[in-house]
Amino acid sequence: MRTIEWDDEKDVVKLIDQTLLPGDYKIVECTRLDELIEAIKKLKVRGAPALGAAGAFGVVLAFMNEQDEATLKDEVEKLKKARPTAVNLSYGVNRALQAAMRGRSMQERCSYALEEAKRIAEEDVAVNKKIGDYGSALLEDGDVVLTHCNAGRLACVDWGTALGVIRTAIEKGKRIEVIACETRPLNQGSRLTAWELLQDEIPVTLITDSMGAAVMREGKVNKVLVGADRVVKEGVLNKIGTYMHAVVAKAHAIPFYVAAPLSSFDTAQSYKAVEIEERGPEELLFFGEKQIAPLDVKVYNPAFDFTPFELIEAIITEKGVIRDVKEDV
Ligand code: MRU
C-alpha cells in the first residue's frame, strides 16, 4: 500500500509504521486525531510530503470526532505543532481546513475535508512523478548518487522526491547506484532508504554519516541528491547532516541537488524564524534498548539543519529545475 491513505470502508487513516522497518512491516490504523498526532511525533509517519497528507487526513479525523468548535480548533493547532520544521504539515492542515469551512454542517465539513485530503495525496504522487521527469535529466548513465535520510516513497505518499528522481532515471534506462548515509540518530537512511531501494532492486551501498567526506574525496560519488523539509529565503532545511554533505560536495566540485515539491517552499520566511525540531536525549543515549552513553551527559539533538543556496547546484521541483538558486527563488 501507499505510505499513508484513507480507508473508505473503515473511515480510518492507514499508515505504514516506519518505526518498525526494516524488521517488521505493519499497518497502523488511526481513528482519532490524538492517535495520528502520536504517530507523527513518534515518526511512524514522517518525511515532509507524507506529513502534508497526514495533516490533511488529521483534519478529517478532527471533524469526524469533534463537535465542539473550540476543542476542534485546539486539536488542529496541536496537529500543526506535532512536528514544526517541515512546512508541509501546516500546508496540508490549512488546505483541508479551508475546504472544510465551505461546508455548513459538521457532516459537510467532514466530507469536504476528506475530498481535499484525498486530492492532496493524489497530487503528491503526480508531483513526484514530475519531479522525477525533470530531475532524471540531471543524472547520467553510470552515476553514483549519495543521499541522506529518506526522501523516497516512504517520505511521501508514493514514488518519492530525491529517490523518485533516481527511480525515474532508472525507468528511462540509466544505470544509477545509490550510496545511502545511515542518518543517525534515527537511521532513516539505513532502515528506510536502503529497504525501499532494495525492494525495487536498485543498487544501494550503506555508509555511516561520517564516511561521506571520504567517499567523495575518493571519487566514488558523482552527485549528491537530497529532499527538503522547507525551502526558505536563503536556502533549504533538511535532515541534520545535510549541510555537512553540501559543504563536502562543494569542496570536491560534486553537484549537490535538492528535490522538493512547491508545497515545501516557504520563501517569505528566513531560516532564522523556523523552529528546528529538537528531539529527546534518549535518541543519543540509547541504541534501541542498549545504553550507549552516560545517562547524565548533556545532549544536543536537533533533527534538521540549514544549507545555504550557494552550496546548492539546483532545486528540482514539479515545475522544472531552478538553477543558480538565490534569495529570490
Ligand atoms: O525526521 P524525518 O524523517 O521526518 O526527516 C525527513 C527528512 O529530512 C527528509 O529528507 C525530508 O522530509 C524530505 S522527504 C521527501
Side-chain angles (χ1 to χ4, degrees):
M1 73 162 238
R2 288 177 165 180
T3 301
I4 180 162
E5 58 189 37
W6 185 263
D7 185 321
D8 279 315
E9 272 161 33
K10 294 185 177 165
D11 269 344
V12 297
V13 183
K14 290 201 306 195
L15 48 98
I16 300 170
D17 184 346
Q18 300 190 33
T19 59
L20 303 177
L21 287 171
D24 282 317
Y25 180 92
K26 276 206 180 130
I27 308 300
V28 174
E29 293 182 356
C30 301
T31 47
R32 296 191 51 86
L33 180 56
D34 54 352
E35 292 166 352
L36 181 64
I37 292 178
E38 201 48 27
I40 291 172
K41 286 189 171 163
K42 291 202 166 129
L43 272 65
K44 289 184 180 178
V45 60
R46 35 72 46 205
L51 289 175
F57 287 129
V59 172
V60 182
L61 292 179
F63 278 103
M64 250 173 50
N65 294 306
E66 214 52 75
Q67 301 299 318
D68 148 32
E69 271 203 31
T71 325
L72 197 137
K73 226 176 136 194
D74 223 49
E75 293 292 293
V76 167
E77 269 318 297
K78 274 192 213 146
L79 170 61
K80 275 193 197 177
K81 289 187 181 139
R83 296 201 69 202
T85 308
V87 71
N88 304 61
L89 180 55
S90 32
Y91 167 87
V93 169
N94 291 341
R95 263 184 69 174
L97 258 186
Q98 260 171 22
M101 289 339 251
R102 291 201 310 269
R104 280 154 303 174
S105 63
M106 264 306 180
Q107 213 182 2
E108 254 184 26
R109 288 183 173 178
C110 194
S111 80
Y112 286 151
L114 181 56
E115 263 173 35
E116 189 67 6
K118 286 181 177 173
R119 194 171 300 125
I120 290 172
E122 286 308 319
E123 271 175 25
D124 181 57
V125 185
V127 156
N128 290 340
K129 291 282 176 117
K130 285 255 170 222
I131 290 176
D133 278 338
Y134 285 117
S136 58
L138 302 171
L139 301 186
E140 283 160 59
D141 186 33
D143 270 352
V144 177
V145 180
L146 182 140
T147 192
H148 190 69
C149 194
N150 172 265
R153 66 165 92 252
L154 289 167
C156 303
V157 175
D158 206 348
W159 200 246
T161 55
L163 300 190
V165 168
I166 290 163
R167 285 196 167 94
T168 307
I170 290 173
E171 236 180 36
K172 290 184 174 171
K174 296 180 183 177
R175 281 160 303 173
I176 309 291
E177 282 188 34
V178 179
I179 293 183
C181 298
E182 62 177 350
T183 318
R184 285 279 295 140
L186 294 182
N187 289 70
Q188 289 92 331
S190 52
R191 293 188 306 103
L192 308 177
T193 294
W195 181 80
E196 68 160 85
L197 290 177
L198 288 180
Q199 292 275 309
D200 285 3
E201 296 179 8
I202 296 174
V204 53
T205 303
L206 177 65
I207 62 167
T208 64
D209 302 321
S210 47
M211 285 180 198
V215 292
M216 286 196 235
R217 189 170 179 278
E218 288 163 11
K220 292 190 172 124
V221 175
N222 303 100
K223 270 135 205 167
V224 180
L225 176 55
V226 296
D229 286 275
R230 196 185 288 235
V231 180
V232 290
K233 206 156 101 182
E234 317 91 337
V236 168
L237 294 155
N238 193 47
K239 179 54 56 195
I240 191 78
T242 300
Y243 173 59
M244 164 180 81
H245 296 310
V247 169
V248 177
K250 187 71 157 186
H252 295 92
I254 296 167
F256 182 95
Y257 296 113
V258 173
L262 294 173
S263 55
S264 299
F265 279 55
D266 184 20
T267 49
Q269 196 87 254
S270 165
Y271 73 97
K272 293 177 196 147
V274 179
E275 182 182 345
I276 300 281
E277 176 184 358
E278 219 177 293
R279 298 191 57 86
E282 65 287 349
E283 292 180 356
L284 274 73
L285 299 179
F286 293 90
F287 197 80
E289 302 281 291
K290 189 170 169 46
Q291 186 188 329
I292 51 167
L295 294 183
D296 51 354
V297 69
K298 193 170 139 198
V299 169
Y300 177 47
N301 185 20
F304 301 96
D305 63 21
F306 167 71
T307 300
F309 285 140
E310 60 259 30
L311 298 177
I312 300 171
E313 178 82 12
I315 301 185
I316 308 154
T317 76
E318 67 270 32
K319 297 270 185 223
V321 175
I322 311 170
R323 282 192 179 275
D324 193 21
V325 275
K326 39 178 137 42
E327 280 213 11
D328 59 352
V329 66

